[in-house]
Amino acid sequence: LDRIQNLGGTHLCLMQAWTPQPHAEWNAAPSAWLAPSMAWGGQQGLQRLIDGAHARGLGIVIDWPIHAFSGEAEGLGRFDGSALYEHANAARALTPDGFPRRFNYVRYETANFLICAALFWLEDMHVDGLFLRGVRHALQFHAPEGQAAIVDAAGVDFLRSLTELVAARAPGAFVLSDAHGAWPGISAPTWAGG
């Protein structure tokens, strides 16, 4: 932490602060969005790191995937025996990066699960920001090669609601996106169409 501060850094972005699925590749979406990773010392160890960073004037941002999760048995797929968090339509459930389970933002269960997880990180763990990974995939359905992608209106609404909730419940915290220039206005405030 001292080195980052001495170099003039203001924030640290922790990659995979959450617990990944057993035997999953490092970039697989986690099955436990509410479980601080033991790689960081679990909840208590990670809290000490965050508190130590804050004591030095450094903010903490976590890498947080929001578009999909893997289909492994330990994950959220068919959680209650039905397509609870994912799309039942296989064509809508697939993502271009290979995840077989794309979140279905129309479902209250999905939106509430992700919002509760975000509030856990912001309010209980005191992180200063969420770096949302997979935003482009959350905003549109995967299209076969040569076809235009279809905008997922529910994904757009979810991201706006999440951003507004972060502003209301965690003043000073921020939401970052990994989406590229194909989404003009993605970083604009929600009241301005962002």
Side-chain angles (χ1 to χ4, degrees):
L1 296 177
D2 290 335
R3 179 172 165 78
I4 293 166
Q5 191 175 31
N6 291 340
L7 292 171
T10 60
H11 290 79
L12 291 130
C13 183
L14 303 182
M15 304 304 287
Q16 216 170 36
W18 30 263
T19 301
Q21 291 176 314
H23 314 298
E25 293 179 22
W26 79 269
N27 61 349
S31 62
W33 275 258
L34 297 164
S37 174
M38 287 308 294
W40 296 100
Q43 185 166 347
Q44 292 178 344
L46 185 56
Q47 192 64 65
R48 281 192 300 275
L49 174 65
I50 292 169
D51 291 344
H54 287 162
R56 291 173 172 81
L58 297 171
I60 297 287
V61 178
I62 63 164
D63 160 63
W64 202 59
I66 53 121
H67 71 297
F69 50 96
S70 78
E72 294 184 18
E74 298 88 357
L76 296 171
R78 313 252 345 140
F79 189 73
D80 68 349
S82 70
L84 181 65
Y85 294 107
E86 68 267 36
H87 286 273
N89 179 333
R92 292 208 164 186
L94 184 65
T95 68
D97 53 0
F99 287 106
R101 310 266 190 219
R102 185 178 176 281
F103 277 120
N104 183 356
Y105 302 102
V106 169
R107 302 225 23 164
Y108 292 113
E109 295 86 349
T110 298
N112 286 339
F113 170 74
L114 290 170
I115 285 172
C116 287
L119 291 177
F120 164 75
W121 288 102
L122 294 163
E123 294 180 344
D124 295 350
M125 295 301 293
H126 306 131
V127 301
D128 302 290
L130 302 172
F131 174 66
L132 304 183
R133 188 159 34 102
V135 169
R136 180 172 54 98
H137 302 311
L139 294 174
Q140 65 190 26
F141 293 110
H142 176 59
E145 191 171 329
Q147 295 182 18
I150 300 169
V151 172
D152 182 354
V156 173
D157 288 344
F158 169 75
L159 288 173
R160 284 183 175 147
S161 296
L162 176 65
T163 303
E164 290 170 353
L165 183 76
V166 168
R169 295 279 297 263
F174 52 89
V175 177
L176 301 170
S177 165
D178 70 346
H180 54 73
W183 290 92
I186 190 118
S187 61
T190 56
W191 52 262

